[in-house]
Amino acid sequence: MAESVDVTAPDPQPSQSALWRNHDFVILWSGETVSQLGSSMSFFLFPIVGYAITGSTALAALAGTAFTLGSVLVSLPAGVWVDRWSRRTTMQLSNLAGAFFYATLVVAMVLDHLTLAHLIVAAFLTGVVGRFFGPAETAAIRTVVPTDQLATAFSQNEARQHLANLIGPPVAGALYAVVRWVPFLGDAVSYLVSAAAVGRIRSPLPAPPRSEQSVSSMRADIAEGLRFLWNSMVLRAIVLFACIVNFAALALFIALTLKLLRAGVQPAAIGLIDTIGAVAGIGGSIVAPAIIKRVPTGPLSIAVAVVVSVAVVPMAFTNNVVYVGLLVAGALFLLPAGNASILAYLVAITPDRLQGRVQSALGFSASALQPAGPIVGGGLLALFGGEPAMIAMAVVICLSGLPLFLSRDIRHLGTPDTWPDVAADLPVPEIIDDQSGVAVAMAPPGGERGAGDA
């Protein structure tokens, strides 16, 4: 998938400029914000629509499981293809595919022919295309955002996710009550908006230059990405922590939800926990750049693990949704800063030709155990009851921080200004404009790039 380079693209803007004046980042961020809002509506409705079709709570959960399964299964090969294709084309095709999948749901619902199998297939394929878009978008951010602003950029990405989680579900519920297919139509349109936004990015977003790529098999390319991730002591500790804590947190919150339902708490009240958590996430995202600038990245990651551990233990001993919500808020407040700083560090130290594979390797490794979370959480609840089940998962969450505590490299990882910048060591590649045949010098990925006012 080749991409033409626009030889008339504006000059890179200095990194001292505010990120909101970076035209390309603002366009990319805005388009994906709309898309994530649409996706949050669909994810909220998957079990509701599934239950309306089947009348079974077990079958209704299959759509959400299918999405997770599709995302995990394709993670590693998707990263290889992201590193071989134009990042712009990959993002646009992913968005167009997502729009098509949700459009089929709209048509089926309008005709009253939607089946559970159709819903599951659409959810599965949406998970697949998301695994292509995510690494391609992160690689694109590395191109259009200066290295010293990466942490701020990823903090803003954290904010949009929490904003979507705050707004999407209630909007979806309101629209679904009026016309059931409208939320899915909104999601289809949101994918088209994101695709159009990607087309407005001025910077070239091609695949890494072929001269930097060796011809190798899919297996060898996947192994290279995993090897890069595992050979970094910092990233290895982060992956071990993320894999364990993501699994245990999902199991804990499944157990929490079922425990509250058993105690007679209404679903609407349980939804208040998500609302409080989303507000805390937005607040944490706003202050994340200042935290990342002042707090060394390694100790910040350890602080996140400690705060999360302290917050989840008391959840086992209360059914008061306000108290639980406040505990969730405490657990989530530092998370945007922790996530953004580590992702920025990963992007900064990864060569451009490995961006897709390394990010996909991180995503796969961090979520490898997550599909087992609902099963373990529900199983422990059934066997031992709500409080023991939650205590067990809280203990696992507390232990998940051990890889961070025991890593000397994590303890000594400093603020972003002390990180190594692989872009500074990369040669400036020449990319041939497909239309003119003129060789165009590109700034090294992660260097000073971006243009114009938003």
Side-chain angles (χ1 to χ4, degrees), residues 173-436:
L175 293 176
Y176 183 77
V178 179
V179 182
R180 294 191 170 189
W181 49 264
V182 169
F184 286 138
L185 176 62
D187 198 2
V189 172
S190 75
Y191 275 103
L192 296 177
V193 170
S194 182
V198 171
R200 290 191 58 202
I201 296 174
R202 297 171 181 171
S203 299
L205 300 173
R210 294 183 184 273
S211 60
E212 294 186 11
Q213 293 178 332
S214 59
V215 179
S216 57
S217 66
M218 174 71 71
R219 180 181 299 180
D221 280 350
I222 290 174
E224 187 179 10
L226 289 169
R227 189 163 53 249
F228 182 92
L229 188 70
W230 193 252
N231 284 343
S232 166
M233 299 299 290
V234 169
L235 298 179
R236 185 189 306 179
I238 291 293
V239 164
L240 290 173
F241 165 67
C243 182
I244 298 170
V245 78
N246 286 343
F247 153 74
L250 183 56
L252 181 140
F253 281 104
I254 289 292
L256 171 64
T257 300
L258 296 176
K259 172 175 173 283
L260 293 176
L261 287 173
R262 280 186 173 184
V265 180
Q266 294 299 312
I270 297 175
L272 178 63
I273 297 173
D274 292 332
T275 301
I276 295 174
V279 171
I282 293 172
S285 301
I286 292 172
V287 301
I291 294 175
I292 294 169
K293 183 178 180 180
R294 292 169 174 80
V295 181
T297 301
L300 175 59
S301 300
I302 294 174
V304 169
V306 171
V307 170
V308 170
S309 299
V310 170
V312 297
V313 173
M315 293 182 194
F317 304 101
T318 180
N319 291 326
N320 186 304
V321 294
V322 175
Y323 292 159
V324 173
L326 292 175
L327 290 169
V328 170
L332 292 182
F333 186 77
L334 271 183
L335 203 57
N339 287 343
S341 60
I342 287 300
L343 185 54
Y345 175 78
L346 173 67
V347 170
I349 69 169
T350 303
D352 189 51
R353 67 181 186 85
L354 288 173
Q355 283 289 326
R357 281 169 283 173
V358 172
Q359 291 162 38
S360 292
L362 176 65
F364 174 81
S365 302
S367 61
L369 296 180
Q370 273 190 293
I375 299 173
V376 172
L380 289 175
L381 182 72
L383 289 173
F384 304 109
E387 187 173 303
M390 291 190 62
I391 291 174
M393 288 299 97
V395 169
V396 175
I397 290 175
C398 293
L399 294 176
S400 69
L402 284 178
L404 303 180
F405 288 107
L406 297 176
S407 172
R408 179 180 181 276
D409 297 86
I410 286 287
R411 295 196 301 270
H412 290 85
L413 181 60
T415 50
D417 57 299
T418 67
W419 296 346
D421 182 8
V422 71
D425 300 325
L426 292 177
V428 178
E430 286 189 341
I431 296 180
I432 304 299
D433 178 32
D434 292 346
Q435 296 177 347
S436 65

Side-chain angles (χ1 to χ4, degrees), residues 127-145:
V128 169
V129 299
R131 278 303 188 184
F132 283 84
F133 183 91
E137 184 206 18
T138 303
I141 290 174
R142 185 177 189 263
T143 300
V144 304
V145 174

